[in-house]
């Protein structure tokens, strides 16, 4: 170790670890599909790990299509340090998100966090900061007894219901307590449309912090479920005849404290920047759906129970891809767009990156915003991809995605999607047996 001064963030981490008796710190990163990866560093080795990073195999970021080992360095971001609240008392464990670099300190092509940071840097050069708010939906079920069996909900509640046994309210309370202990502010929570389906809304934040928060949120929900002896899932469509789980995203651009989507001369309407951003999101939506809706099950949700399946926008409807919420009198400058297609199985770093890249493209190239849809989508509204195969083909050919994420990351992502599609195509489903065995 050299004698150069320790930066304040690193100093805070080392001091907190010592004061709180933290024995281990988990280093978190995600693979190309957004699956959280982790390894632990003992407190005795933390200072060196913060200064030099830790060598890992970079092929672990390639998802299920790993080709060969790659030496890369996981460099923890001390600004993301938190003590995990769900660990047992007396044995505190910390965590930090990592940036993945090559040994020469250049960014690793498969690092989703760096892909988002790259697009954010380009936005910053244009004078924009990207703010994201999230509404995350999930289901709670009784413990699974068999892979593939129909899961059993804990209640038959509906939208905003307070269920009689109140399992969901207690679950949401404990989850929110964990999140807030980790510095993730929660806006609201409630029972959703489906039986034992719930939603927790995260307060808007800068996109990188929000992507970290979504990754943390998914772990927190799973941990609380384990503690309470239930099963939590972010599967987009686990029940055939019920609504699916989405991850609605509220997007806006800021310049300092000024919301650039707000039009002071026409309150309630999007500014020229906001309209350009919205036009960009709509223009590129089809080719980016493989990122916002990444699994074969995602396409069972789209088009059902108000989940969008056409590219259009509205201020009042529920079936459009994008909704522009009305400004409230007490917050007239809170202008934003709500993208309703993403689901909580997605990689949030890549989803935020491509949506921002699309919005910036719309502003820079002056895309024309289509007419608003008042109710249901019209025949002129282009359909979203109907399945993962179509979505992956569109993504693989997207010049915007390759510019935003890089060639290698796009290739690895598309390879994962095609591998999943091949696996899915080989499966003989219960539907096929019920439909064809009696008649063929």
């Amino acid at each position: 170790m050299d004698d150069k001064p320790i930066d304040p963030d690193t100093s805070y981490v080392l001091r907190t670890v010592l004061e709180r008796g933290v024995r281990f710190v988990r280093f978190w990163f995600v693979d190309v599909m957004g699956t959280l990866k982790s390894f632990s560093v003992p407190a005795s080795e933390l200072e060196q790990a913060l200064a030099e990073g830790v060598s890992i195999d970079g092929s672990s970021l390639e998802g299920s299509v790993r080709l060969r080992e790659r030496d890369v360095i996981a460099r923890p971001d001390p600004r993301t340090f938190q003590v995990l609240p769900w660990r047992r008392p007396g044995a505190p464990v910390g965590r930090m998100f990592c940036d993945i670099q090559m040994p020469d300190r250049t960014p690793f092509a498969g690092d989703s966090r760096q892909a988002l940071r790259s697009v954010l840097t380009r936005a910053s050069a244009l004078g924009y900061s990207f703010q994201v708010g999230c509404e995350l939906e999930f289901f709670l079920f009784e413990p699974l007894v068999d892979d593939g069996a129909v899961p059993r909900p804990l209640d038959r509640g509906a939208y905003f219901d307070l269920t009689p046994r109140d399992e969901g309210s207690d679950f949401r309370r404990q989850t929110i307590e964990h999140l807030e202990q980790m510095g993730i502010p929660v806006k609201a929570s409630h029972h959703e449309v489906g039986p034992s389906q719930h939603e927790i809304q995260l307060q808007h934040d800068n996109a990188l912090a929000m992507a970290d928060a979504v990754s943390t949120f998914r772990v927190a929900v799973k941990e609380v479920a384990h503690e309470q002896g239930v099963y939590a899932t972010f599967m987009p469509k686990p029940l055939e005849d019920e609504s699916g789980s989405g991850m609605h995203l509220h997007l806006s651009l800021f310049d300092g404290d000024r919301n650039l989507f707000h039009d002071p001369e026409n309150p309630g309407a999007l500014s020229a920047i906001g309209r350009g951003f919205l036009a960009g999101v709509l223009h590129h939506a089809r080719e980016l759906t493989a990122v916002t809706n990444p699994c074969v099950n995602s396409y069972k949700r789209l088009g059902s129970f108000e989940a969008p399946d056409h590219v259009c926008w509205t201020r009042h409807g529920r079936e459009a891809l994008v909704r522009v919420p009305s400004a409230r009198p007490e917050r007239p400058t809170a202008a934003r767009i709500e993208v309703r297609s993403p689901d909580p199985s997605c990689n949030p770093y890549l989803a935020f990156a491509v949506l921002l890249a699309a919005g910036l493209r719309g502003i820079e190239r002056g895309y024309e915003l289509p007419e608003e849809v008042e109710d249901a989508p019209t025949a002129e509204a282009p359909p979203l991809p109907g399945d993962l195969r179509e979505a992956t083909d569109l993504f693989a050919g997207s010049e915007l995605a390759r510019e935003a994420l890089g060639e290698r990351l796009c290739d690895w992502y598309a390879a994962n999607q095609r591998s999943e599609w091949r696996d899915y195509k080989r499966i003989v489903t219960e539907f096929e047996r019920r439909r064809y065995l009696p008649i063929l």
Side-chain angles (χ1 to χ4, degrees):
M1 302 288 293
D2 55 36
D3 295 325
K4 68 180 182 180
I6 298 177
D7 73 85
D9 294 316
T10 298
S11 178
Y12 168 78
V13 171
L14 296 173
R15 184 174 67 252
T16 303
V17 165
L18 180 63
E19 291 174 351
R20 298 188 60 174
V22 174
R23 297 289 304 276
F24 294 91
V25 177
R26 291 180 178 174
F27 286 14
W28 286 5
F29 58 98
V30 301
D31 69 11
V32 68
M33 300 309 298
T35 302
L36 191 65
K37 306 289 185 177
S38 175
F39 62 93
S40 294
V41 172
S44 58
E45 299 296 319
L46 183 59
E47 184 172 357
Q48 182 172 346
L50 283 162
E52 301 175 2
V54 178
S55 179
I56 63 171
D57 175 12
S59 70
S60 62
L61 278 75
E62 296 173 18
S64 63
V65 294
R66 296 175 58 182
L67 297 177
R68 58 187 176 86
E69 291 192 2
R70 308 170 188 272
D71 293 324
V72 297
I73 306 298
R75 296 193 179 275
D77 182 348
R79 294 167 296 182
T80 66
F81 176 80
Q82 293 287 346
V83 175
L84 298 176
W86 49 79
R87 298 296 296 182
R88 68 183 186 275
V93 173
R95 77 95 163 95
M96 281 181 282
F97 282 95
C98 293
D99 296 311
I100 310 301
Q101 299 177 346
M102 300 298 290
D104 64 1
R105 286 186 171 267
T106 57
F108 176 54
D111 183 10
S112 300
R113 203 165 186 263
Q114 175 55 37
L116 173 56
R117 183 182 282 111
S118 178
V119 185
L120 291 171
T121 299
R122 187 162 71 84
S124 179
L126 297 171
Y128 306 137
S129 66
F130 186 40
Q131 298 287 310
V132 181
C134 276
E135 301 175 7
L136 287 135
E137 298 171 350
F138 58 93
F139 279 87
L140 298 179
F141 295 125
E142 294 182 4
L144 301 184
V145 295
D146 183 30
D147 289 344
V150 177
R152 295 173 60 87
L154 303 181
D155 64 60
R156 301 304 300 182
Y159 201 37
F160 283 99
D161 277 2
L162 180 64
T163 54
R165 291 175 59 195
D166 215 17
E167 302 99 332
S169 295
D170 184 61
F171 184 97
R172 297 194 303 269
R173 176 194 56 76
Q174 188 172 347
T175 302
I176 291 169
E177 288 178 354
H178 284 346
L179 294 171
E180 291 184 336
Q181 288 176 46
M182 298 186 71
I184 300 173
V186 172
K187 184 177 180 179
S189 71
H190 60 84
H191 197 289
E192 256 296 337
V193 174
S196 203
Q197 185 185 27
H198 303 273
E199 175 180 297
I200 296 179
Q201 302 173 19
L202 305 184
Q203 288 276 16
H204 76 276
D205 204 341
N206 73 78
L208 185 60
M210 182 55 72
D212 289 344
V214 170
S215 296
T216 304
F217 177 92
R218 294 191 292 212
V219 176
V221 167
K222 293 284 190 177
E223 290 286 347
V224 175
H226 179 73
E227 291 174 13
Q228 297 194 3
V230 299
Y231 187 79
T233 181
F234 296 100
M235 183 177 176
K237 183 75 170 175
L239 300 174
E240 289 182 7
D241 298 322
E242 304 291 346
S243 64
S245 290
M247 185 176 77
H248 296 179
L249 302 177
H250 294 258
L251 312 180
S252 53
L253 295 179
F254 275 70
D255 178 7
D257 294 330
R258 184 164 64 95
N259 186 338
L260 297 176
F261 282 12
H262 171 61
D263 184 352
E265 297 183 1
N266 189 10
L270 286 175
S271 67
I273 288 176
R275 291 175 66 84
F277 191 100
L278 172 55
V281 169
L282 295 174
H283 184 89
H284 295 284
R286 283 171 44 79
E287 67 205 66
L288 305 180
T289 301
V291 179
T292 57
N293 304 87
C295 59
V296 291
N297 182 253
S298 297
Y299 299 85
K300 306 293 177 66
R301 167 183 165 260
L302 294 178
S304 67
F305 290 87
E306 298 182 348
D309 62 355
H310 283 76
V311 180
C312 55
W313 73 279
T314 186
R315 283 175 292 180
H316 307 294
R318 287 283 177 182
E319 297 182 13
L321 174 68
V322 180
R323 188 173 72 92
V324 179
S326 301
R328 300 199 304 267
E330 67 273 18
R331 297 186 63 195
T333 64
R336 64 198 187 279
I337 67 171
E338 178 190 1
V339 185
R340 299 174 57 81
S341 61
D343 67 57
S345 69
C346 76
N347 181 333
Y349 302 93
L350 300 190
F352 298 172
V354 296
L355 287 170
L356 175 57
L360 294 178
R361 179 72 65 88
I363 295 170
E364 293 169 327
R365 300 193 178 180
Y367 287 173
E368 183 176 350
L369 185 63
E371 290 294 323
E372 178 184 2
V373 171
E374 293 292 340
D375 296 307
T378 63
E380 291 76 26
L384 289 174
D387 56 38
L388 185 63
R389 180 203 57 78
E390 181 185 1
T392 302
D393 289 345
L394 290 168
F395 170 80
S398 171
E399 177 267 334
L400 176 79
R402 292 184 176 275
E403 178 185 278
L405 306 181
E407 293 285 343
R408 287 174 66 187
L409 196 153
C410 283
D411 287 343
W412 289 335
Y413 191 89
N416 274 277
Q417 304 290 65
R418 286 174 172 146
S419 176
E420 176 165 338
W421 181 253
R422 287 193 297 270
D423 290 344
Y424 176 67
K425 290 286 286 183
R426 287 195 291 265
I427 298 297
V428 178
T429 66
E430 184 64 25
F431 169 87
E432 291 168 285
R433 283 188 283 268
R434 289 199 309 261
R435 174 65 63 92
Y436 300 118
L437 279 175
I439 62 174
L440 296 179

